[in-house]
Amino acid sequence: MKENYCLQAALVCLGMLCHSQAFAPERRGHLRPSFHGHHEKGKEGQVLQRSKRGWVWNQFFVIEEYTGPDPVLVGRLHSDIDSGDGNIKYILSGEGAGTIFVIDDKSGNIHATKTLDREERAQYTLMAQAVDRDTNRPLEPPSEFIVKVQDINDNPPEFLHETYHANVPERSNVGTSVIQVTASDADDPTYGNSAKLVYSILEGQPYFSVEAQTGIIRTALPNMDREAKEEYHVVIQAKDMGGHMGGLSGTTKVTITLTDVNDNPPKFPQSVYQMSVSEAAVPGEEVGRVKAKDPDIGENGLVTYNIVDGDGMESFEITTDYETQEGVIKLKKPVDFETKRAYSLKVEAANVHIDPKFISNGPFKDTVTVKIAVEDADEPPMFLAPSYIHEVQENAAAGTVVGRVHAKDPDAANSPIRYSIDRHTDLDRFFTINPEDGFIKTTKPLDREETAWLNITVFAAEIHNRHQEAKVPVAIRVLDVNDNAPKFAAPYEGFICESDQTKPLSNQPIVTISADDKDDTANGPRFIFSLPPEIIHNPNFTVRDNRDNTAGVYARRGGFSRQKQDLYLLPIVISDGGIPPMSSTNTLTIKVCGCDVNGALLSCNAEAYILNAGLSTGALIAILACIVILLGCPSLMEPPSPREDMRLLYLGFQLMLFSYVKINRRFCLLGVFILPFLYVVATESPTTLMSL
């Protein structure tokens, strides 16, 4: 540190000497004004020949981090018109003027009053001007100049990261690039060697090296083995000043891990494995495990196992457990102690992935002998099939044979077998089994539409040892018979608009119907739709079979009226395609409804018909005729007798009927109420109304 302080002091002195030489106005001409043609009016109006002042500035320099007792002289401003009598005042403005930089307004000397740090700010832009001290009138145009902060080596190199992590394959060639570390220096890289860095390795030899200029770390030893040592810790130093004495330095740590390559073949730790298996074992049961060791990791350490030879290749198989890297030997087919009591296998372990670069280290496989002894066991009965499927027709009578299951004792004793049904799988007790021969029968009729499949479990046990028991699943399919007639698929309802007889019939169906059948498809569709024979020539409606399991209901005529009939019940016969076929008669409801001119449905409810506010001419004539008859007749004769009363009423009703048919159908509704009152007025006999 003492050497650094001395060096800095020397640099400060050298810089001040250089600046004093560089900026002395009497030696250097860069501050000397140059005059050009310029006219200026005097007080009396005469024109004076005066030059245009041209300030010419070079850059000023101040050494950073200067800590001397006095302000640092940056430079001096001077005008050629300054005669030294103090009439000229120098003004400084711009970045840092008045705070960092101050100017002696008489001499023009500029000083830096504060310690500057180039890493915080590298330069300042200032404006200089000479004015008349009394009037502040500018004597020269303002000029801009730059003060640069000159760098010293006051910042050590810093790495981008405190620690680095890198990987390189094991057994890499010497000089293999591992990682590049990078350091930065806050000092000025364009001035001196303050930011010129050199990298070196402090820890990690002789395994690794570093390039001095680039910071690239490379391998330095051949055949580094991950299985011997996997991780290395390297310390890299970056030093400025080109690595020379007095430079500042920084360090970083690099953890380098050797990644695995497949350079080791698998090896069995022993030459022979001894195993045993019971003759009661079932195929797929594990017999034992073998393991070849491979020090490689990941996919390079993956091992696969195969049986390559031996008299047990047909009875045993081997699979690979990739989690434990073991070979799992399993029973492939049942073994029989009475037939063969020992087997021999030759098992091979080989790497899954092989690196061609290390093929010379091979072969990457190994073999071992596995001897398997068969153990005697009292075996349970064995069914001749792993499962059974039987069929029976629905509605079959109780006691119908469904099928048979068969088991036998594999032991030499050949013990007799007894069969039973697991009642947990036949809670409704649909079936029974003969305990001696295994025949399964029904106990009641079955319904396919209720249950199409029934699954039961049958037990087989040795008669002399009930603990030796086996079971087998039995699936029983209930076959369909045509015992369900088709029906409407939905509660259909049709609508038809009331209309005149002259209105043409529509080609559109009133409603399209379909059917549903609970039976299987073989006994269901295709469906046939028709009318019953007794109404096959129905005058109102007909049914057209679309031959796609649907049918359309059409009107045979027009002129439907709600007043005559507002509801029709149409029976429709639906037949299925079963053998023999089944049919059912379904009733379709068709309502007569009121519609607008476009045929849109308005209302299907019965309406009360009243006389329109505006009556036709014929209706008015009919009303007047009634009045004349009722009023005129009594005035031409004596008060009417009861028989004449009845005749008069009869005549009025005839007239109303005529108006209803020929003139206005709604007239009669009005006449029913008007006629009695007209009659009372005509006869002037209120008692007559009461008698009516």
Side-chain angles (χ1 to χ4, degrees):
M1 293 300 294
K2 186 176 182 180
E3 291 178 354
N4 292 340
Y5 290 145
C6 294
L7 178 61
Q8 292 183 12
L11 290 173
V12 170
C13 294
L14 180 61
M16 292 178 63
L17 179 61
C18 292
H19 294 149
S20 63
Q21 294 295 325
F23 303 112
E26 60 274 11
R27 291 190 176 184
R28 306 294 295 271
H30 68 279
L31 295 181
R32 184 173 300 161
S34 60
F35 292 88
H36 304 282
H38 178 71
H39 295 85
E40 183 179 356
K41 269 190 176 183
K43 292 182 180 181
E44 291 80 9
Q46 73 274 20
V47 177
L48 301 178
Q49 287 291 86
R50 177 89 184 263
S51 70
K52 179 182 179 182
R53 180 71 165 102
W55 297 91
V56 182
W57 301 101
N58 288 333
Q59 293 179 344
F60 289 164
F61 293 89
V62 178
I63 297 178
E64 68 169 334
E65 305 294 346
Y66 176 71
T67 57
D70 299 322
V72 178
L73 177 64
V74 177
R76 183 184 181 189
L77 302 180
H78 184 71
S79 175
D80 288 345
I81 64 175
D82 187 358
S83 60
D85 56 3
N87 291 329
I88 294 178
K89 181 171 68 173
Y90 296 97
I91 298 174
L92 188 66
S93 62
E95 298 173 342
T99 55
I100 299 175
F101 302 101
V102 295
I103 187 170
D104 187 331
D105 61 358
K106 293 182 178 180
S107 64
N109 290 336
I110 301 173
H111 291 82
T113 62
K114 294 183 179 180
T115 300
L116 303 180
D117 187 355
R118 188 199 69 84
E119 286 70 44
E120 291 183 4
R121 187 158 188 170
Q123 66 181 30
Y124 298 84
T125 301
L126 299 170
M127 299 289 292
Q129 191 172 27
V131 301
D132 185 279
R133 182 176 297 276
D134 295 329
T135 64
N136 283 330
R137 182 174 61 85
L139 302 177
E140 304 289 349
S143 296
E144 181 181 277
F145 65 95
I146 295 175
V147 177
K148 282 196 172 184
V149 182
Q150 188 168 315
D151 184 56
I152 65 172
N153 189 21
D154 60 341
N155 291 281
E158 293 183 358
F159 283 92
L160 299 181
H161 305 285
E162 294 183 2
T163 59
Y164 290 83
H165 296 273
N167 299 319
V168 65
E170 64 174 329
R171 301 191 181 278
S172 294
N173 295 329
V174 174
T176 300
S177 175
V178 179
I179 190 176
Q180 183 177 18
V181 295
T182 304
S184 61
D185 196 315
D187 293 322
D188 190 355
T190 64
Y191 179 78
N193 293 327
S194 298
K196 185 177 181 180
L197 305 182
V198 174
Y199 298 93
S200 60
I201 185 167
L202 301 183
E203 295 180 19
Q205 302 97 335
Y207 307 104
F208 300 95
S209 63
V210 65
E211 291 184 358
Q213 305 302 324
T214 63
I216 297 176
I217 301 174
R218 300 183 182 274
T219 58
L221 282 182
N223 296 323
M224 286 191 290
D225 190 4
R226 185 200 66 83
E227 287 73 35
K229 185 176 181 180
E230 183 175 7
E231 192 172 84
Y232 296 83
H233 298 282
V234 178
V235 177
I236 302 296
Q237 174 185 268
K239 190 173 184 180
D240 61 14
M241 298 300 290
H244 296 121
M245 184 178 296
L248 304 178
S249 64
T251 61
T252 187
K253 293 181 179 180
V254 183
T255 300
I256 300 175
T257 302
L258 297 184
T259 58
D260 187 64
V261 298
N262 191 12
D263 58 342
N264 295 282
K267 292 289 184 183
F268 283 106
Q270 58 196 71
S271 59
V272 178
Y273 285 85
Q274 298 285 348
M275 300 178 183
S276 62
V277 61
S278 172
E279 65 170 344
V282 297
E285 186 172 328
E286 181 178 325
V287 178
R289 296 189 174 217
V290 296
K291 183 175 183 178
K293 294 183 178 180
D294 190 329
D296 296 321
I297 60 175
E299 68 174 17
N300 298 317
L302 293 179
V303 178
T304 183
Y305 297 87
N306 291 288
I307 299 175
V308 296
D309 200 3
D311 58 4
M313 294 182 66
E314 298 296 326
S315 300
F316 300 91
E317 61 183 358
I318 190 169
T319 59
T320 303
D321 185 339
Y322 287 103
E323 291 186 2
T324 62
Q325 289 298 294
E326 294 176 314
V328 183
I329 299 175
K330 297 180 179 180
L331 188 63
K332 187 177 181 181
K333 55 191 297 187
V335 292
D336 187 8
F337 175 81
E338 288 74 22
T339 304
K340 187 174 178 63
R341 301 187 178 186
Y343 294 88
S344 179
L345 302 174
K346 187 176 183 181
V347 176
E348 178 186 83
N351 278 140
V352 176
H353 304 283
I354 298 176
D355 193 334
K357 294 188 296 185
F358 304 101
I359 196 68
S360 59
N361 293 12
F364 285 83
K365 57 185 177 180
D366 193 18
T367 58
V368 70
T369 300
V370 179
K371 294 184 177 181
I372 303 174
V374 180
E375 298 177 346
D376 190 21
D378 184 10
E379 303 171 72
M382 182 179 296
F383 283 96
L384 300 187
S387 62
Y388 293 87
I389 298 178
H390 297 306
E391 296 179 344
V392 63
Q393 283 193 337
E394 66 173 328
N395 301 330
T400 301
V401 175
V402 176
R404 183 188 183 190
V405 296
H406 190 200
K408 66 177 183 178
D409 183 8
D411 296 324
N414 195 17
S415 177
I417 304 298
R418 289 293 179 268
Y419 301 95
S420 62
I421 295 176
D422 182 0
R423 289 305 172 186
H424 293 92
T425 62
D426 185 25
L427 297 176
D428 294 324
R429 296 183 177 269
F430 287 120
F431 305 101
T432 183
I433 190 170
N434 189 311
E436 296 181 357
D437 57 19
F439 278 98
I440 301 173
K441 297 180 180 180
T442 61
T443 61
K444 62 183 75 173
L446 304 175
D447 186 1
R448 188 203 68 88
E449 285 71 43
E450 184 176 323
T451 306
W453 285 88
L454 294 167
N455 298 288
I456 63 174
T457 299
V458 174
F459 291 113
E462 294 181 9
I463 193 170
H464 300 300
N465 185 1
R466 302 293 295 180
H467 297 291
Q468 291 296 341
E469 185 179 67
K471 63 181 179 178
V472 68
V474 180
I476 300 171
R477 180 185 180 188
V478 183
L479 300 178
D480 184 56
V481 297
N482 194 19
D483 58 346
N484 289 278
K487 297 180 180 180
F488 275 162
Y492 294 108
E493 189 174 50
F495 304 92
I496 188 168
C497 294
E498 63 177 343
S499 61
D500 297 331
Q501 292 285 354
T502 60
K503 187 175 181 180
L505 291 177
S506 173
N507 291 327
Q508 297 297 322
I510 298 172
V511 63
T512 299
I513 58 176
S514 62
D516 186 21
D517 194 326
K518 294 182 180 180
D519 291 322
D520 197 3
T521 54
N523 291 314
R526 123 165 163 77
F527 298 122
I528 300 173
F529 301 85
S530 63
L531 295 177
E534 61 271 16
I535 62 167
I536 193 67
H537 300 296
N538 185 294
N540 298 317
F541 305 99
T542 185
V543 176
R544 297 179 190 173
D545 196 323
N546 297 326
R547 298 184 178 275
D548 60 355
N549 295 321
T550 65
V553 179
Y554 295 83
R556 277 187 164 180
R557 65 175 181 86
F560 287 92
S561 172
R562 282 181 289 176
Q563 301 306 312
K564 292 184 178 180
Q565 185 173 347
D566 62 351
L567 183 68
Y568 293 86
L569 300 178
L570 182 66
I572 298 176
V573 178
I574 309 175
S575 301
D576 61 22
I579 301 175
M582 293 195 70
S583 63
S584 67
T585 301
N586 301 263
T587 301
L588 175 65
T589 301
I590 301 176
K591 292 183 178 180
V592 181
C593 302
C595 303
D596 62 13
V597 293
N598 297 320
L601 183 68
L602 293 178
S603 173
C604 293
N605 298 324
E607 296 180 355
Y609 289 84
I610 61 175
L611 186 65
N612 287 337
L615 296 177
S616 64
T617 304
L620 293 175
I621 294 173
I623 294 173
L624 290 175
C626 289
I627 295 174
V628 169
I629 293 172
L630 294 175
L631 296 179
C633 289
S635 64
L636 298 177
M637 60 185 67
E638 293 297 326
S641 64
R643 178 175 295 180
E644 289 174 336
D645 291 340
M646 296 303 296
R647 184 179 300 170
L648 188 60
L649 287 174
Y650 176 76
L651 180 62
F653 279 114
Q654 288 286 349
L655 182 60
M656 288 174 55
L657 180 61
F658 173 81
S659 299
Y660 174 80
V661 175
K662 298 297 184 179
I663 301 176
N664 194 322
R665 295 181 179 181
R666 298 182 180 180
F667 174 76
C668 75
L669 297 177
L670 181 62
V672 169
F673 298 99
I674 293 177
L675 184 60
F677 292 101
L678 291 177
Y679 180 76
V680 171
V681 173
T683 59
E684 296 182 351
S685 176
T687 58
T688 304
L689 178 62
M690 297 302 296
S691 64
L692 290 176

